[in-house]
């Protein structure tokens, strides 16, 4: 098995009413990691945004 590229990012959302900045998605796509961990990521709308923009990934959240 080869190396895995893991991207961990503290999005630092103080409330679920804040949208994830577009550059977050752009950087995730640009870096093309195998595993993405977003910390302090909030809001169902933001989760849907991730699902819509990261179609090549299995997305789960809680």
């Amino acid at each position: 098995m080869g190396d895995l590229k893991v991207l961990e990012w503290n999005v630092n959302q103080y409330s679920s009413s804040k949208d994830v900045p577009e550059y977050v998605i752009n950087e995730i796509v640009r870096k093309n990691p195998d595993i993405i961990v977003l910390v302090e990521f909030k809001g169902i709308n933001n989760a849907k945004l991730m699902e819509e923009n990261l179609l090549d990934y299995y997305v789960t959240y809680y």
Side-chain angles (χ1 to χ4, degrees):
M1 179 176 196
D3 294 337
L4 286 175
K5 188 182 340 179
V6 178
L7 184 146
E8 183 274 334
W9 194 333
N10 186 330
V11 181
N12 201 20
Q13 287 182 283
Y14 298 104
S15 73
S16 61
S17 63
K18 289 175 63 179
D19 292 339
V20 170
E22 187 174 326
Y23 69 82
V24 172
I25 294 171
N26 293 340
E27 280 299 300
I28 291 171
V29 170
R30 187 181 72 78
K31 291 184 180 283
N32 192 29
D34 298 304
I35 298 171
I36 305 161
V37 178
L38 298 178
V39 180
E40 292 189 24
F41 171 83
K42 299 178 181 177
I44 193 70
N45 290 338
N46 286 324
K48 299 278 186 211
L49 182 69
M50 289 295 165
E51 288 177 335
E52 292 168 0
N53 285 281
L54 301 173
L55 296 174
D56 292 337
Y57 290 91
Y58 168 76
V59 177
T60 188
Y61 48 88
Y62 67 95

